[in-house]
Amino acid sequence: MTAAGVDVGKDFLDLAIDGRARTTRFSNDAAGRRKLIRGLAGLDDAFVVVEATGGYEDALLDACVDAGLNVARINPRQSNAFARAIGELAKSDAIDARLLCLFARLFRDRLRCHVPAPPWQRELRAWLRRRGQVVITLQAQKQKANRTLNRPGFSGGCFR
């Protein structure tokens, strides 16, 4: 088994592979994910650990499962506790990727492989995410309108 850790960010994916000194950076888009998976496909029985990052990791998880790779998503609290336990106080994308790789090697038997959600759940999740964005935008617009109406010296015009 070859352990790998991927630190997922909004724009980049940093990959650390067990036994390799350097990490590799890929863009967090379809082309970058394909390159990353090609790099992992040549490994012997690769097991990949990814930290949950608020949804930025979803496309990578699905791409890994589609490619037949074993991949697990862990809670950031777990990786932070692990880093503290081994005395790693520094924080960077490359360090995080190496920590996730070590985590994969040590805890492989305790981690549950990612199972992708059925298509209907993915679509529902996307609609709920969009609904949340619309609610936040509406709240901001209402607050902006209230500030304008309550501004000193505002005559009201057609609003009052």
Side-chain angles (χ1 to χ4, degrees):
M1 192 256 329
T2 303
V6 180
D7 182 61
V8 178
K10 180 179 179 183
D11 298 319
F12 296 106
L13 304 168
D14 290 290
L15 170 67
I17 298 174
D18 197 21
R20 296 186 187 172
R22 300 190 65 140
T23 59
T24 309
R25 179 168 270 198
F26 301 93
S27 58
N28 193 359
D29 57 12
R33 287 188 293 273
R34 279 193 302 274
K35 289 178 186 175
L36 184 142
I37 288 172
R38 257 184 278 155
L40 291 171
L43 300 176
D44 179 41
D45 190 30
F47 184 76
V48 183
V49 169
V50 175
E51 186 179 70
T53 56
Y56 291 123
E57 77 283 0
D58 290 339
L60 176 64
L61 288 167
D62 291 339
C64 286
V65 169
D66 291 344
L69 296 170
N70 294 315
V71 62
R73 174 181 13 208
I74 65 168
N75 190 311
R77 189 178 62 241
Q78 288 176 291
S79 64
N80 291 337
F82 179 70
R84 279 194 314 276
I86 64 170
E88 185 60 66
L89 302 178
K91 185 110 172 92
S92 73
D93 295 339
I95 291 171
D96 287 348
R98 283 196 293 274
L99 285 172
L100 291 170
C101 179
L102 180 59
F103 192 94
R105 182 165 35 110
L106 295 175
F107 297 106
R108 163 65 176 107
D109 297 334
R110 293 179 159 193
L111 296 173
R112 190 170 41 113
C113 284
H114 174 72
V115 177
W120 68 268
Q121 278 184 338
R122 289 187 217 172
E123 184 176 356
L124 178 61
R125 189 179 306 132
W127 281 110
L128 289 172
R129 187 175 296 130
R130 180 64 184 137
R131 180 190 179 277
Q133 293 168 346
V134 169
V135 167
I136 289 170
T137 302
L138 286 172
Q139 289 171 344
Q141 293 297 319
K142 285 179 186 178
Q143 289 173 354
K144 184 178 178 183
N146 285 336
R147 281 194 306 267
T148 302
L149 291 174
N150 296 328
R151 190 174 62 213
F154 182 70
S155 64
C158 62
F159 292 112
R160 291 195 182 187

